[in-house]
Amino acid sequence: CPSANFNTPIDAVNDTASTPINGTTGGDAGINVYANDTLGTVGATPSNVTLTSTPTAELSIDPATGAVTVAPGTVAGTYTINYTVCETANMSNCDTATVTVEVISPSADIVTAKTDNQTTYTPGSTVAYTITVTNNGPSDAQSVNVVDNAPAGTTITSWSASNGSTG
């Protein structure tokens, strides 16, 4: 009698992160590789498959959870990592898939606007200026300093900032 191969179909499906990940902080890429992999007609889980992958400098996969992690300090770019799932009951029954993650460098877009709401000026009078600082993102701004030098011949008598600083 000829022998037959009765392996349960196993399907590891490629994954792509739905949103770019901040490479400076790294972290969870929002992917669980088990979520779309199957063993027969059931979902692949750590109890019915064994997941293996070789971490890269940028990406790793936790075999216990299927979570994909981006290493902190990863330079902007598109990165991939391969993984293999094998049926726990038959370790020769395997399939391989690729995870793709886009990593971005955070950037802030700082814009300043200076207004005084006046149309005429009288020598020796007081003028109040408002300087508005806006971060149009997409990332948080860190250690922002605003410098506004007074024109020659003017005197700054006081100032205040919405963060509570005064002078």
Side-chain angles (χ1 to χ4, degrees):
C1 285
S3 63
N5 182 354
F6 293 106
N7 283 339
T8 304
I10 191 166
D11 189 19
V13 179
N14 293 339
D15 298 281
T16 301
S18 60
T19 58
I21 306 303
N22 179 331
T24 300
T25 58
D28 186 351
I31 296 173
N32 177 341
V33 297
Y34 290 121
N36 59 352
D37 295 350
T38 57
L39 176 63
T41 59
V42 298
T45 67
S47 63
N48 62 15
V49 299
T50 299
L51 185 149
T52 57
S53 71
T54 301
T56 66
E58 302 82 17
L59 302 176
S60 62
I61 302 173
D62 182 346
T65 64
V68 177
T69 302
V70 175
T74 298
V75 176
T78 301
Y79 297 93
T80 60
I81 185 170
N82 295 325
Y83 71 95
T84 301
V85 287
C86 296
E87 180 181 5
T88 304
N90 178 4
M91 291 298 288
S92 65
N93 184 24
C94 303
D95 195 22
T96 299
T98 301
V99 176
T100 303
V101 177
E102 181 186 354
V103 175
I104 58 171
S105 293
S107 62
D109 180 8
I110 304 298
V111 177
T112 60
K114 181 176 176 180
T115 59
D116 63 13
N117 294 323
Q118 287 187 241
T119 57
T120 59
Y121 304 90
T122 304
S125 66
T126 301
V127 177
Y129 290 97
T130 300
I131 299 173
T132 304
V133 180
T134 304
N135 178 8
N136 292 323
S139 301
D140 291 343
Q142 303 293 323
S143 303
V144 174
N145 291 313
V146 175
V147 177
D148 183 46
N149 295 317
T154 61
T155 303
I156 297 176
T157 57
S158 68
W159 61 271
S160 65
S162 64
N163 70 354
S165 299
T166 58

